[in-house]
Amino acid sequence: MASAGASVKLAPSPSGKPRMRLAITCYPTYGGSGVVATELAMRLAERGHEVHVVSYEMPFRMDRPLANLSFHAVHGSEYPLFRYPHYTLNLSNKLIELVEEYGVELIHSHYAIPHAVAAWQAREVLRDSSRPETGRLQRGGSTRRDVKLACTLHGTDITLVGRERSYFELTRFALRQQDLLTAPSAWLAQETATYFNTTPGSVQAIPNFVDLERFKPDAAQPWRACLAGAGQRVITHVSNFRPVKRIEEVVRAFATLRKRMPAVLVLVGDGPDLPKAEALAKELGIRDDLRLLGQQKPEPILQASDLFLLPSRAESFGLSALEAMACGCPVLGYHAGGLPEVVEDGVSGILCEEGGDICLGTLAADLLENEPRYRAMRTAARRRAENFAEKPIVDQYENALLGLLEPAAARSAGG
Ligand code: GMT
Protein backbone atom coordinates (compact mmCIF):
# COMPACT_ATOMS: atom_id res chain seq x y z
CA MET A 1 0.00 0.00 0.00
CA ALA A 2 1.36 3.44 -0.90
CA SER A 3 2.22 5.52 2.12
CA ALA A 4 0.27 8.53 3.27
CA GLY A 5 1.56 11.89 2.11
CA ALA A 6 2.91 10.66 -1.26
CA SER A 7 -0.10 11.96 -3.23
CA VAL A 8 0.34 14.09 -6.32
CA LYS A 9 0.50 17.72 -5.25
CA LEU A 10 -1.60 19.93 -7.44
CA ALA A 11 -0.47 23.45 -8.19
CA PRO A 12 -2.40 26.21 -6.48
CA SER A 13 -5.36 27.50 -8.46
CA PRO A 14 -5.09 30.87 -10.29
CA SER A 15 -6.67 32.51 -7.24
CA GLY A 16 -3.69 31.30 -5.21
CA LYS A 17 -5.93 29.02 -3.17
CA PRO A 18 -5.18 25.29 -2.92
CA ARG A 19 -6.63 23.39 -5.85
CA MET A 20 -9.41 20.96 -4.91
CA ARG A 21 -10.40 17.80 -6.72
CA LEU A 22 -14.08 17.38 -6.16
CA ALA A 23 -17.10 15.48 -7.44
CA ILE A 24 -20.45 17.27 -7.64
CA THR A 25 -23.55 15.07 -7.83
CA CYS A 26 -26.90 16.50 -8.86
CA TYR A 27 -30.07 16.06 -10.87
CA PRO A 28 -29.43 17.02 -14.49
CA THR A 29 -32.96 18.18 -15.26
CA TYR A 30 -34.51 21.63 -15.39
CA GLY A 31 -34.82 22.72 -11.80
CA GLY A 32 -33.03 24.92 -9.34
CA SER A 33 -30.83 22.35 -7.64
CA GLY A 34 -29.33 21.18 -10.93
CA VAL A 35 -28.79 24.77 -12.04
CA VAL A 36 -27.01 25.75 -8.82
CA ALA A 37 -24.87 22.58 -8.83
CA THR A 38 -23.84 22.99 -12.46
CA GLU A 39 -23.17 26.72 -12.29
CA LEU A 40 -21.10 26.16 -9.14
CA ALA A 41 -19.19 23.34 -10.86
CA MET A 42 -18.38 25.61 -13.81
CA ARG A 43 -17.34 28.54 -11.63
CA LEU A 44 -15.07 26.32 -9.48
CA ALA A 45 -13.51 24.82 -12.62
CA GLU A 46 -12.85 28.34 -13.94
CA ARG A 47 -11.08 29.01 -10.67
CA GLY A 48 -8.73 26.12 -11.39
CA HIS A 49 -10.28 23.37 -9.27
CA GLU A 50 -10.67 19.93 -10.84
CA VAL A 51 -14.41 19.30 -10.93
CA HIS A 52 -16.15 16.03 -11.82
CA VAL A 53 -19.90 16.38 -12.33
CA VAL A 54 -21.74 13.09 -11.78
CA SER A 55 -25.32 12.36 -12.80
CA TYR A 56 -27.40 10.06 -14.99
CA GLU A 57 -27.35 12.61 -17.81
CA MET A 58 -25.35 15.67 -18.73
CA PRO A 59 -26.98 18.59 -16.83
CA PHE A 60 -28.67 20.97 -19.26
CA ARG A 61 -26.80 23.98 -17.90
CA MET A 62 -23.39 22.36 -18.54
CA ASP A 63 -23.45 24.03 -21.90
CA ARG A 64 -19.81 24.67 -22.73
CA PRO A 65 -16.51 22.86 -22.34
CA LEU A 66 -14.11 24.09 -19.68
CA ALA A 67 -10.64 22.94 -18.71
CA ASN A 68 -10.79 21.07 -15.37
CA LEU A 69 -14.48 20.21 -15.80
CA SER A 70 -15.64 16.74 -16.74
CA PHE A 71 -18.91 14.89 -16.74
CA HIS A 72 -19.33 11.25 -15.67
CA ALA A 73 -22.56 9.43 -16.47
CA VAL A 74 -23.91 6.90 -14.00
CA HIS A 75 -25.05 3.72 -15.71
CA GLY A 76 -27.35 1.10 -14.27
CA SER A 77 -28.13 -2.46 -15.13
CA GLU A 78 -31.37 -3.57 -16.73
CA TYR A 79 -31.09 -7.04 -15.29
CA PRO A 80 -34.61 -8.55 -15.40
CA LEU A 81 -34.59 -9.44 -11.70
CA PHE A 82 -34.36 -5.75 -10.79
CA ARG A 83 -37.86 -4.41 -10.75
CA TYR A 84 -36.62 -1.01 -9.52
CA PRO A 85 -33.47 0.76 -10.76
CA HIS A 86 -30.63 0.86 -8.21
CA TYR A 87 -29.43 4.36 -9.00
CA THR A 88 -28.07 5.01 -5.51
CA LEU A 89 -25.83 1.94 -5.72
CA ASN A 90 -24.66 2.78 -9.21
CA LEU A 91 -23.90 6.35 -8.15
CA SER A 92 -21.93 5.18 -5.11
CA ASN A 93 -19.93 2.88 -7.29
CA LYS A 94 -19.16 5.69 -9.73
CA LEU A 95 -18.04 7.93 -6.85
CA ILE A 96 -15.70 5.23 -5.56
CA GLU A 97 -14.17 4.95 -9.04
CA LEU A 98 -13.68 8.72 -9.24
CA VAL A 99 -11.92 8.83 -5.89
CA GLU A 100 -9.66 6.00 -6.89
CA GLU A 101 -9.04 7.05 -10.48
CA TYR A 102 -8.76 10.83 -10.14
CA GLY A 103 -7.94 11.29 -6.49
CA VAL A 104 -11.21 13.12 -5.77
CA GLU A 105 -10.96 14.47 -2.22
CA LEU A 106 -14.45 15.78 -1.66
CA ILE A 107 -17.97 14.82 -2.75
CA HIS A 108 -20.45 17.69 -2.88
CA SER A 109 -24.03 16.41 -3.17
CA HIS A 110 -26.85 18.68 -4.33
CA TYR A 111 -30.32 17.63 -3.10
CA ALA A 112 -30.00 15.09 -0.29
CA ILE A 113 -32.01 12.25 -1.80
CA PRO A 114 -30.33 10.03 -2.86
CA HIS A 115 -27.05 11.87 -3.37
CA ALA A 116 -26.08 12.28 0.29
CA VAL A 117 -26.73 8.59 0.91
CA ALA A 118 -24.73 7.52 -2.15
CA ALA A 119 -21.80 9.71 -1.05
CA TRP A 120 -21.83 8.22 2.44
CA GLN A 121 -21.89 4.67 1.02
CA ALA A 122 -18.93 5.48 -1.22
CA ARG A 123 -16.96 6.83 1.71
CA GLU A 124 -17.67 3.74 3.81
CA VAL A 125 -16.37 1.48 1.06
CA LEU A 126 -13.28 3.63 0.56
CA ARG A 127 -12.52 3.48 4.27
CA ASP A 128 -12.17 -0.29 4.15
CA SER A 129 -8.40 -0.61 4.27
CA SER A 130 -8.51 -4.31 3.38
CA ARG A 131 -9.77 -3.56 -0.12
CA PRO A 132 -7.39 -4.19 -2.99
CA GLU A 133 -6.00 -1.02 -4.52
CA THR A 134 -7.30 0.06 -7.90
CA GLY A 135 -6.89 3.05 -10.22
CA ARG A 136 -4.42 5.67 -9.12
CA LEU A 137 -3.99 3.96 -5.79
CA GLN A 138 -2.71 0.87 -7.52
CA ARG A 139 -0.44 2.89 -9.76
CA GLY A 140 0.94 4.70 -6.73
CA GLY A 141 -0.38 8.03 -7.97
CA SER A 142 -2.59 8.74 -5.00
CA THR A 143 -2.91 7.61 -1.45
CA ARG A 144 -6.27 9.01 -0.58
CA ARG A 145 -8.69 6.52 0.81
CA ASP A 146 -10.91 8.97 2.58
CA VAL A 147 -13.12 11.71 1.28
CA LYS A 148 -14.92 14.65 2.81
CA LEU A 149 -18.66 14.97 2.29
CA ALA A 150 -20.65 18.15 1.73
CA CYS A 151 -24.33 18.38 0.91
CA THR A 152 -26.35 21.36 -0.24
CA LEU A 153 -30.00 20.93 0.68
CA HIS A 154 -32.34 22.56 -1.80
CA GLY A 155 -35.92 22.42 -0.66
CA THR A 156 -38.28 19.50 -1.03
CA ASP A 157 -35.50 17.10 0.00
CA ILE A 158 -36.13 18.61 3.47
CA THR A 159 -39.64 20.03 3.35
CA LEU A 160 -41.44 17.23 1.54
CA VAL A 161 -39.76 14.07 0.23
CA GLY A 162 -37.20 13.74 3.03
CA ARG A 163 -40.01 13.79 5.57
CA GLU A 164 -41.85 10.92 3.92
CA ARG A 165 -41.70 7.88 6.14
CA SER A 166 -40.04 5.78 3.45
CA TYR A 167 -37.11 8.22 3.23
CA PHE A 168 -36.92 9.90 6.63
CA GLU A 169 -34.57 7.70 8.68
CA LEU A 170 -32.00 7.26 5.96
CA THR A 171 -32.10 10.92 5.02
CA ARG A 172 -31.59 11.99 8.65
CA PHE A 173 -28.73 9.54 9.01
CA ALA A 174 -27.06 10.66 5.76
CA LEU A 175 -27.26 14.31 6.81
CA ARG A 176 -25.49 13.45 10.06
CA GLN A 177 -22.67 11.82 8.10
CA GLN A 178 -21.85 14.97 6.12
CA ASP A 179 -18.89 17.12 7.07
CA LEU A 180 -20.71 20.20 5.77
CA LEU A 181 -24.38 20.98 5.20
CA THR A 182 -25.52 24.10 3.40
CA ALA A 183 -28.94 25.46 2.47
CA PRO A 184 -29.88 28.40 0.23
CA SER A 185 -31.82 30.20 2.97
CA ALA A 186 -31.78 30.64 6.73
CA TRP A 187 -35.37 29.38 6.61
CA LEU A 188 -34.39 26.02 5.09
CA ALA A 189 -31.45 25.73 7.49
CA GLN A 190 -33.91 26.15 10.36
CA GLU A 191 -36.38 23.66 8.86
CA THR A 192 -33.54 21.13 8.68
CA ALA A 193 -32.70 21.62 12.34
CA THR A 194 -36.35 21.35 13.32
CA TYR A 195 -37.25 18.24 11.37
CA PHE A 196 -33.94 16.39 11.09
CA ASN A 197 -32.45 17.30 14.47
CA THR A 198 -29.25 18.72 13.03
CA THR A 199 -27.38 20.78 15.59
CA PRO A 200 -28.88 24.28 15.54
CA GLY A 201 -26.59 26.54 13.51
CA SER A 202 -24.75 23.65 11.88
CA VAL A 203 -26.39 24.11 8.47
CA GLN A 204 -24.63 27.00 6.77
CA ALA A 205 -26.92 29.30 4.79
CA ILE A 206 -25.29 30.10 1.45
CA PRO A 207 -27.77 31.80 -0.87
CA ASN A 208 -28.25 30.91 -4.50
CA PHE A 209 -26.59 33.17 -7.03
CA VAL A 210 -27.34 34.58 -10.45
CA ASP A 211 -25.22 35.50 -13.45
CA LEU A 212 -26.01 39.22 -13.65
CA GLU A 213 -24.61 39.49 -17.17
CA ARG A 214 -26.77 36.71 -18.50
CA PHE A 215 -29.89 37.79 -16.59
CA LYS A 216 -30.18 41.53 -17.06
CA PRO A 217 -32.81 44.01 -18.20
CA ASP A 218 -33.05 44.53 -21.96
CA ALA A 219 -35.00 47.65 -22.83
CA ALA A 220 -35.46 46.45 -26.43
CA GLN A 221 -37.41 43.39 -25.18
CA PRO A 222 -37.05 41.51 -28.48
CA TRP A 223 -39.33 38.70 -27.31
CA ARG A 224 -42.21 40.87 -26.23
CA ALA A 225 -43.85 40.99 -29.63
CA CYS A 226 -43.76 37.17 -29.80
CA LEU A 227 -45.62 36.88 -26.51
CA ALA A 228 -48.16 39.68 -26.46
CA GLY A 229 -49.96 42.22 -28.59
CA ALA A 230 -49.60 45.99 -28.23
CA GLY A 231 -50.89 47.18 -24.88
CA GLN A 232 -51.02 43.71 -23.33
CA ARG A 233 -49.22 43.12 -20.06
CA VAL A 234 -46.97 40.05 -19.78
CA ILE A 235 -47.34 38.03 -16.56
CA THR A 236 -44.93 35.12 -16.24
CA HIS A 237 -44.40 31.98 -14.19
CA VAL A 238 -41.46 29.61 -14.63
CA SER A 239 -41.33 26.30 -12.78
CA ASN A 240 -41.40 22.52 -12.80
CA PHE A 241 -45.20 22.63 -12.25
CA ARG A 242 -45.26 20.51 -9.13
CA PRO A 243 -48.05 20.87 -6.51
CA VAL A 244 -45.80 22.98 -4.23
CA LYS A 245 -45.84 25.72 -6.89
CA ARG A 246 -49.64 26.19 -6.59
CA ILE A 247 -50.17 26.64 -10.31
CA GLU A 248 -53.90 27.10 -9.88
CA GLU A 249 -53.18 30.13 -7.72
CA VAL A 250 -51.11 31.55 -10.60
CA VAL A 251 -54.03 31.14 -12.99
CA ARG A 252 -56.61 32.55 -10.55
CA ALA A 253 -54.45 35.59 -9.80
CA PHE A 254 -54.01 36.18 -13.51
CA ALA A 255 -57.76 35.86 -14.13
CA THR A 256 -58.40 38.60 -11.52
CA LEU A 257 -55.83 40.88 -13.11
CA ARG A 258 -57.14 40.13 -16.60
CA LYS A 259 -60.53 41.60 -15.66
CA ARG A 260 -58.81 44.95 -15.17
CA MET A 261 -56.38 45.10 -18.13
CA PRO A 262 -55.36 43.31 -21.33
CA ALA A 263 -52.68 40.75 -20.48
CA VAL A 264 -51.22 37.35 -21.27
CA LEU A 265 -50.05 34.67 -18.87
CA VAL A 266 -46.78 33.07 -19.99
CA LEU A 267 -46.02 29.67 -18.48
CA VAL A 268 -42.48 28.37 -18.96
CA GLY A 269 -41.44 24.83 -18.03
CA ASP A 270 -43.24 21.55 -17.70
CA GLY A 271 -44.46 19.23 -14.98
CA PRO A 272 -47.39 17.27 -13.56
CA ASP A 273 -49.64 20.25 -12.77
CA LEU A 274 -49.38 21.98 -16.14
CA PRO A 275 -52.59 20.35 -17.45
CA LYS A 276 -54.39 21.72 -14.36
CA ALA A 277 -53.37 25.24 -15.37
CA GLU A 278 -54.78 24.77 -18.82
CA ALA A 279 -58.01 23.22 -17.52
CA LEU A 280 -58.57 26.03 -15.02
CA ALA A 281 -57.83 28.68 -17.63
CA LYS A 282 -60.52 27.14 -19.84
CA GLU A 283 -62.95 27.08 -16.93
CA LEU A 284 -62.27 30.75 -16.15
CA GLY A 285 -62.59 31.76 -19.80
CA ILE A 286 -58.98 32.93 -20.21
CA ARG A 287 -57.49 30.05 -22.21
CA ASP A 288 -56.79 32.34 -25.18
CA ASP A 289 -54.63 34.53 -22.95
CA LEU A 290 -52.39 31.63 -21.97
CA ARG A 291 -49.00 31.12 -23.63
CA LEU A 292 -47.62 27.67 -22.86
CA LEU A 293 -43.98 27.75 -23.88
CA GLY A 294 -42.62 24.51 -22.38
CA GLN A 295 -38.90 24.27 -21.57
CA GLN A 296 -37.21 27.43 -22.82
CA LYS A 297 -34.19 29.52 -22.14
CA PRO A 298 -35.78 31.89 -19.59
CA GLU A 299 -33.69 35.06 -20.07
CA PRO A 300 -35.46 36.64 -23.09
CA ILE A 301 -38.87 35.79 -21.65
CA LEU A 302 -38.09 37.33 -18.27
CA GLN A 303 -36.72 40.41 -20.02
CA ALA A 304 -40.05 40.74 -21.81
CA SER A 305 -42.15 40.21 -18.66
CA ASP A 306 -43.93 42.82 -16.54
CA LEU A 307 -44.48 40.66 -13.45
CA PHE A 308 -43.40 37.25 -12.20
CA LEU A 309 -45.80 35.19 -10.07
CA LEU A 310 -44.45 32.63 -7.59
CA PRO A 311 -47.18 31.75 -5.08
CA SER A 312 -45.46 28.58 -3.76
CA ARG A 313 -46.47 27.07 -0.46
CA ALA A 314 -42.88 26.78 0.73
CA GLU A 315 -40.11 27.83 -1.59
CA SER A 316 -36.71 27.35 0.01
CA PHE A 317 -35.28 30.24 -2.01
CA GLY A 318 -36.90 30.78 -5.39
CA LEU A 319 -34.08 30.85 -7.92
CA SER A 320 -36.53 31.57 -10.73
CA ALA A 321 -37.70 34.64 -8.79
CA LEU A 322 -34.12 35.84 -8.45
CA GLU A 323 -33.53 35.38 -12.19
CA ALA A 324 -36.69 37.40 -12.91
CA MET A 325 -35.58 40.17 -10.56
CA ALA A 326 -32.14 40.27 -12.19
CA CYS A 327 -33.99 41.02 -15.46
CA GLY A 328 -35.81 43.90 -13.71
CA CYS A 329 -39.08 41.99 -13.29
CA PRO A 330 -40.78 42.36 -9.87
CA VAL A 331 -41.98 39.18 -8.14
CA LEU A 332 -45.33 38.57 -6.45
CA GLY A 333 -45.72 35.71 -4.01
CA TYR A 334 -46.38 34.85 -0.39
CA HIS A 335 -44.65 35.42 2.91
CA ALA A 336 -43.67 31.78 2.96
CA GLY A 337 -40.49 29.75 3.12
CA GLY A 338 -37.27 31.46 2.08
CA LEU A 339 -38.86 33.81 -0.47
CA PRO A 340 -38.83 36.80 1.96
CA GLU A 341 -35.02 36.41 2.09
CA VAL A 342 -34.95 37.16 -1.64
CA VAL A 343 -37.87 39.52 -2.29
CA GLU A 344 -38.31 42.61 -0.09
CA ASP A 345 -42.04 43.10 0.33
CA GLY A 346 -43.17 46.44 -1.13
CA VAL A 347 -39.73 47.25 -2.53
CA SER A 348 -38.51 44.68 -5.06
CA GLY A 349 -41.80 42.78 -5.19
CA ILE A 350 -44.94 42.09 -3.19
CA LEU A 351 -45.44 39.29 -0.68
CA CYS A 352 -48.97 38.58 0.58
CA GLU A 353 -49.73 37.18 3.97
CA GLU A 354 -50.82 33.54 3.74
CA GLY A 355 -54.59 33.30 4.26
CA GLY A 356 -55.11 37.04 3.83
CA ASP A 357 -58.16 38.18 1.93
CA ILE A 358 -56.39 40.36 -0.65
CA CYS A 359 -55.87 38.44 -3.85
CA LEU A 360 -52.44 38.34 -5.48
CA GLY A 361 -54.12 39.31 -8.75
CA THR A 362 -55.62 42.47 -7.22
CA LEU A 363 -52.24 43.50 -5.85
CA ALA A 364 -50.63 42.81 -9.23
CA ALA A 365 -53.21 44.92 -11.07
CA ASP A 366 -52.93 47.76 -8.50
CA LEU A 367 -49.19 47.78 -9.00
CA LEU A 368 -49.33 47.87 -12.80
CA GLU A 369 -51.83 50.73 -12.66
CA ASN A 370 -49.50 52.77 -10.51
CA GLU A 371 -46.80 53.52 -13.07
CA PRO A 372 -44.33 55.44 -10.80
CA ARG A 373 -44.48 52.70 -8.13
CA TYR A 374 -44.14 49.99 -10.74
CA ARG A 375 -41.12 51.66 -12.40
CA ALA A 376 -39.41 52.08 -9.00
CA MET A 377 -40.06 48.42 -8.24
CA ARG A 378 -38.44 47.30 -11.50
CA THR A 379 -35.29 49.24 -10.61
CA ALA A 380 -35.36 47.89 -7.04
CA ALA A 381 -35.79 44.31 -8.26
CA ARG A 382 -32.60 44.51 -10.29
CA ARG A 383 -30.77 46.23 -7.44
CA ARG A 384 -31.86 43.53 -5.01
CA ALA A 385 -30.69 40.80 -7.39
CA GLU A 386 -27.26 42.40 -7.42
CA ASN A 387 -26.92 41.25 -3.79
CA PHE A 388 -26.84 37.70 -5.14
CA ALA A 389 -24.00 38.17 -7.61
CA GLU A 390 -22.03 35.05 -8.41
CA LYS A 391 -18.57 35.95 -7.24
CA PRO A 392 -19.04 36.55 -3.51
CA ILE A 393 -21.40 33.58 -3.20
CA VAL A 394 -19.08 31.22 -5.07
CA ASP A 395 -16.37 32.55 -2.72
CA GLN A 396 -18.50 31.37 0.21
CA TYR A 397 -18.84 27.89 -1.28
CA GLU A 398 -15.16 27.73 -2.20
CA ASN A 399 -14.07 28.74 1.29
CA ALA A 400 -16.50 26.35 2.98
CA LEU A 401 -15.34 23.43 0.82
CA LEU A 402 -11.66 24.29 1.16
CA GLY A 403 -12.20 24.47 4.90
CA LEU A 404 -13.02 20.77 4.87
CA LEU A 405 -9.77 19.89 3.13
CA GLU A 406 -7.44 22.22 4.95
CA PRO A 407 -6.44 19.80 7.72
CA ALA A 408 -5.64 17.16 5.10
CA ALA A 409 -3.81 19.68 2.93
CA ALA A 410 -1.78 20.76 5.95
CA ARG A 411 -0.93 17.11 6.71
CA SER A 412 0.24 16.40 3.18
CA ALA A 413 2.25 19.64 3.03
CA GLY A 414 3.96 18.62 6.23
CA GLY A 415 4.33 14.95 5.26
O1 GMT B 1 -37.25 21.13 -4.39
C1 GMT B 1 -37.76 21.20 -5.50
O2 GMT B 1 -38.94 21.16 -5.75
C2 GMT B 1 -36.90 21.30 -6.66
C3 GMT B 1 -35.66 22.00 -6.32
C4 GMT B 1 -34.87 21.68 -7.50
O3 GMT B 1 -34.21 20.69 -7.44
O4 GMT B 1 -34.97 22.35 -8.48
O5 GMT B 1 -35.89 23.42 -6.10
C5 GMT B 1 -35.43 23.90 -4.88
O6 GMT B 1 -34.10 24.33 -5.09
C6 GMT B 1 -33.90 25.58 -5.74
C7 GMT B 1 -32.40 25.83 -5.82
O7 GMT B 1 -31.82 25.90 -4.55
C8 GMT B 1 -34.62 26.68 -4.98
O8 GMT B 1 -34.43 27.92 -5.62
C9 GMT B 1 -36.11 26.34 -4.92
O9 GMT B 1 -36.74 27.33 -4.16
C10 GMT B 1 -36.30 24.99 -4.29
N1 GMT B 1 -37.71 24.61 -4.40
C11 GMT B 1 -38.49 24.49 -3.32
O10 GMT B 1 -38.10 24.69 -2.19
C12 GMT B 1 -39.89 24.11 -3.58
Side-chain angles (χ1 to χ4, degrees):
M1 193 191 298
S3 65
S7 61
V8 173
K9 274 201 193 127
L10 290 170
S13 66
S15 66
K17 291 182 176 169
R19 193 167 178 249
M20 299 181 276
R21 292 185 214 108
L22 72 157
I24 291 188
T25 64
C26 64
Y27 285 104
T29 44
Y30 287 84
S33 62
V35 171
V36 172
T38 314
E39 293 290 343
L40 178 64
M42 293 195 294
R43 298 297 85 78
L44 290 175
E46 283 166 356
R47 291 177 181 208
H49 301 291
E50 183 182 311
V51 186
H52 301 265
V53 173
V54 192
S55 192
Y56 54 84
E57 248 169 38
M58 175 92 105
F60 77 101
R61 275 279 179 114
M62 213 170 142
D63 51 8
R64 61 184 185 284
L66 285 172
N68 310 322
L69 179 69
S70 50
F71 170 69
H72 306 266
V74 177
H75 299 290
S77 161
E78 308 220 326
Y79 192 63
L81 187 63
F82 299 160
R83 179 159 169 199
Y84 300 104
H86 294 147
Y87 182 68
T88 313
L89 301 183
N90 304 133
L91 174 58
S92 290
N93 216 70
K94 177 59 78 180
L95 292 169
I96 294 165
E97 283 173 21
L98 292 178
V99 172
E100 297 197 325
E101 191 56 42
Y102 296 94
V104 161
E105 305 154 309
L106 165 62
I107 300 170
H108 187 181
S109 306
H110 283 260
Y111 202 92
I113 305 167
H115 305 122
V117 176
W120 164 73
Q121 285 180 167
R123 181 168 73 181
E124 285 305 295
V125 173
L126 289 157
R127 278 179 172 171
D128 172 10
S129 57
S130 64
R131 289 178 67 243
E133 293 174 342
T134 57
R136 250 189 214 214
L137 275 175
Q138 193 180 33
R139 299 197 299 274
S142 168
T143 58
R144 184 167 291 279
R145 280 191 168 275
D146 205 5
V147 275
K148 295 289 179 188
L149 305 184
C151 179
T152 294
L153 310 165
H154 278 280
T156 50
D157 44 355
I158 295 302
T159 59
L160 223 58
V161 194
R163 282 186 217 172
E164 280 179 23
R165 192 168 169 191
S166 61
Y167 287 110
F168 179 73
E169 288 300 346
L170 198 52
T171 305
R172 181 165 62 173
F173 173 81
L175 297 189
R176 292 168 69 91
Q177 304 311 309
Q178 305 296 308
D179 300 297
L180 171 71
L181 288 173
T182 79
S185 58
W187 175 80
L188 190 63
Q190 181 55 50
E191 287 286 289
T192 311
T194 305
Y195 291 95
F196 290 87
N197 308 105
T198 49
T199 316
S202 66
V203 181
Q204 195 178 334
I206 303 182
N208 291 334
F209 52 88
V210 63
D211 180 344
L212 291 164
E213 271 310 298
R214 187 168 173 171
F215 291 87
K216 62 180 174 194
D218 180 353
Q221 300 190 311
W223 260 64
R224 197 167 174 107
C226 312
L227 300 171
Q232 283 185 310
R233 294 297 202 162
V234 178
I235 313 300
T236 299
H237 172 81
V238 180
S239 82
N240 47 24
F241 292 85
R242 302 214 193 114
V244 71
K245 305 288 175 184
R246 293 205 282 208
I247 304 309
E248 286 165 305
E249 172 84 16
V250 172
V251 177
R252 286 189 197 285
F254 174 76
T256 303
L257 173 136
R258 181 67 190 85
K259 287 188 187 136
R260 290 180 41 188
M261 61 190 70
V264 293
L265 175 61
V266 177
L267 299 180
V268 181
D270 204 350
D273 280 1
L274 187 57
K276 283 190 191 164
E278 209 178 343
L280 183 60
K282 274 187 196 147
E283 192 185 315
L284 298 175
I286 50 162
R287 175 63 187 87
D288 288 347
D289 301 318
L290 216 57
R291 305 283 178 271
L292 303 177
L293 301 190
Q295 305 289 10
Q296 294 271 349
K297 200 174 156 197
E299 299 90 304
I301 301 161
L302 296 171
Q303 287 163 344
S305 300
D306 293 309
L307 290 178
F308 188 87
L309 300 183
L310 190 64
S312 303
R313 192 169 297 128
E315 196 70 44
S316 80
F317 181 90
L319 184 61
S320 58
L322 176 61
E323 291 176 344
M325 290 161 74
C327 293
C329 180
V331 172
L332 273 77
Y334 283 93
H335 258 288
L339 198 59
E341 294 176 44
V342 184
V343 179
E344 311 137 294
D345 181 22
V347 181
S348 47
I350 297 178
L351 299 179
C352 294
E353 283 309 327
E354 201 56 74
D357 52 8
I358 304 177
C359 165
L360 209 61
T362 304
L363 292 172
D366 290 349
L367 175 63
L368 290 174
E369 283 173 354
N370 183 340
E371 189 62 19
R373 184 173 184 232
Y374 173 65
R375 286 280 138 214
M377 205 172 267
R378 285 191 73 85
T379 307
R382 169 67 191 187
R383 199 172 305 130
R384 176 69 180 156
E386 287 166 2
N387 290 336
F388 298 89
E390 262 174 19
K391 189 186 171 308
I393 295 171
V394 174
D395 284 348
Q396 286 185 50
Y397 272 115
E398 187 182 31
N399 292 335
L401 297 174
L402 274 169
L404 298 179
L405 296 175
E406 255 163 26
R411 252 203 326 277
S412 91

